[in-house]
Amino acid sequence: MAAGFSTAIFGNVPISTSILKSVLQEYRAPQARIKQMEKHGEIIPLRRNLYLCPQETPYSKKLIANHLVTPSYVSYECALWDAGIIPERVYSIRSACIGRSRTFENKTGFYQYTQLPLSYYSIGVTIGHTPEGYGYYIARPEKALCDLILSTTGLRLQSPKAAGEYLEIYLRANMELLQQWDADLLHHIAAAAHKKKNDLLHLEQFIRHECL
């Protein structure tokens, strides 16, 4: 390893090949050194040209997800569980993106990305933080639920009552937490949706009239 260089300087933030080469420039063949570091477990390959340096503190899959595909934000069941809305813990990370849909699997887990229209993509996204203070993009729970509804084939919420049944029976949602939701945000999300607009409006009506 280059003199005075330690992978600890990167913390748990994924790093690119170009960054590694910049700190390994004292080596005659930095790319060969990177391959050696990978072989010895000094770095974990996440995808082509992206690595994670193992640290004593746990890494964040949500932070990794943001770096695997940019731009993207963590959403769907993962964001709903993170907010305490659904009870089942989610082990794979599903995100929204504006590029093509794709999946990645590496030593840290399984990551899935679903393409969304740009006009809809940017609404209802916030910043979460790892225990070390690193920021990552994640959907607000209102947006995560809308993303889930839009992506679930065969699901139709044809009335506010159907939306409530979906939340209570199918998702087993924490209905008390729904009292904190932003119905106006749901309305803006529905207005930007290219499909299932009425489904999302029915969700908004259920939240506005039954939960708030």
XYZ file of all heavy atoms in Angstrom, residues 21 29 42-43 49 51 58 63 67 91 93 112 117 145 155 166 175 194:
158
model
N -6.798 4.894 -7.724
C -5.574 5.097 -8.501
C -4.857 6.379 -8.092
O -3.621 6.438 -8.088
C -5.912 5.141 -9.994
C -6.212 3.779 -10.600
C -6.461 3.895 -12.099
C -6.662 2.536 -12.726
N -6.914 2.632 -14.198
N 2.192 0.164 -11.195
C 0.985 -0.375 -11.821
C -0.168 -0.303 -10.816
O -0.484 -1.299 -10.157
C 1.209 -1.805 -12.295
N -8.817 -6.333 1.060
C -8.629 -4.961 1.537
C -9.708 -4.035 0.984
O -9.977 -2.978 1.568
C -7.244 -4.451 1.129
C -6.099 -5.235 1.757
C -4.760 -4.759 1.232
O -4.380 -3.610 1.541
O -4.104 -5.528 0.498
N -10.293 -4.408 -0.135
C -11.410 -3.678 -0.724
C -12.453 -4.689 -1.198
O -12.119 -5.826 -1.544
C -10.979 -2.770 -1.902
C -10.235 -3.581 -2.963
C -10.138 -1.606 -1.400
C -9.865 -2.769 -4.200
N -15.623 -0.828 -11.268
C -15.043 0.482 -10.926
C -15.635 1.124 -9.672
O -15.572 2.336 -9.502
C -15.163 1.464 -12.101
C -14.338 1.040 -13.299
O -13.251 0.474 -13.144
N -14.841 1.294 -14.495
N -15.841 0.366 -5.291
C -15.376 -0.499 -4.204
C -15.800 0.053 -2.852
O -16.118 1.233 -2.707
C -13.840 -0.625 -4.228
C -13.295 -1.214 -5.499
C -12.953 -0.377 -6.570
C -13.116 -2.579 -5.642
C -12.445 -0.914 -7.743
C -12.605 -3.128 -6.815
C -12.278 -2.283 -7.859
O -11.780 -2.825 -9.020
N -20.164 -0.865 10.925
C -20.992 -1.462 9.867
C -21.210 -0.486 8.715
O -21.310 0.721 8.912
C -22.318 -1.773 10.582
C -21.985 -1.788 12.044
C -20.882 -0.799 12.218
N -26.614 3.690 1.715
C -25.571 4.539 1.153
C -24.943 3.867 -0.070
O -24.711 4.513 -1.098
C -24.500 4.829 2.207
C -23.339 5.727 1.782
C -23.835 7.122 1.439
C -22.274 5.791 2.880
N -24.818 4.902 -4.385
C -23.586 4.991 -5.171
C -23.545 3.996 -6.321
O -22.871 4.255 -7.333
C -22.370 4.785 -4.259
C -22.023 5.978 -3.432
N -21.016 6.857 -3.760
C -22.560 6.445 -2.284
C -20.944 7.817 -2.841
N -21.869 7.587 -1.934
N -34.500 -7.123 3.461
C -33.057 -7.380 3.401
C -32.439 -6.978 2.061
O -31.257 -6.671 2.003
C -32.774 -8.855 3.702
C -33.102 -9.210 5.135
C -34.341 -9.752 5.472
C -32.204 -8.960 6.163
C -34.657 -10.058 6.792
C -32.504 -9.252 7.479
C -33.736 -9.812 7.786
O -34.050 -10.100 9.091
N -32.347 -4.239 -1.117
C -32.560 -2.802 -1.216
C -33.118 -2.469 -2.589
O -32.481 -2.742 -3.610
C -31.251 -2.015 -0.984
C -30.605 -2.421 0.345
C -31.526 -0.511 -1.018
C -31.428 -2.093 1.561
N -31.861 -3.591 -6.289
C -32.741 -3.525 -7.446
C -33.115 -2.074 -7.718
O -33.390 -1.305 -6.787
C -33.998 -4.353 -7.196
C -34.985 -4.373 -8.356
C -36.201 -5.224 -8.062
O -36.342 -5.780 -6.979
N -37.095 -5.328 -9.022
N -40.325 8.064 -14.388
C -40.250 9.288 -15.196
C -39.618 10.432 -14.398
O -39.844 10.560 -13.189
C -41.727 9.590 -15.510
C -42.445 8.301 -15.308
C -41.701 7.579 -14.213
N -44.610 4.583 -0.695
C -45.847 3.829 -0.895
C -46.383 4.050 -2.308
O -46.819 3.092 -2.962
C -46.897 4.240 0.128
C -48.251 3.527 -0.004
C -48.096 2.021 0.115
C -49.240 4.045 1.032
N -52.270 -4.574 -9.198
C -52.863 -3.872 -8.053
C -53.650 -2.672 -8.546
O -53.121 -1.814 -9.246
C -51.773 -3.417 -7.082
C -52.237 -2.532 -5.918
C -53.177 -3.312 -4.999
C -51.032 -2.009 -5.134
N -55.893 -2.031 1.479
C -54.536 -2.375 1.037
C -53.518 -2.075 2.141
O -52.632 -2.889 2.434
C -54.197 -1.592 -0.227
C -52.771 -1.725 -0.699
C -52.291 -2.931 -1.193
C -51.906 -0.630 -0.653
C -50.982 -3.046 -1.639
C -50.591 -0.737 -1.098
C -50.134 -1.949 -1.593
O -48.833 -2.065 -2.021
N -51.060 2.155 11.306
C -52.030 3.196 10.974
C -51.829 4.457 11.813
O -52.196 5.554 11.387
C -53.454 2.656 11.137
C -53.737 1.393 10.331
S -53.394 1.579 8.544
C -54.806 2.577 8.040
N -47.654 9.159 -14.155
C -48.034 8.905 -15.542
C -49.012 7.740 -15.650
O -49.586 7.516 -16.706
C -46.786 8.608 -16.378
C -45.957 9.827 -16.644
N -45.291 10.043 -17.826
C -45.685 10.913 -15.879
C -44.657 11.201 -17.787
N -44.866 11.742 -16.602
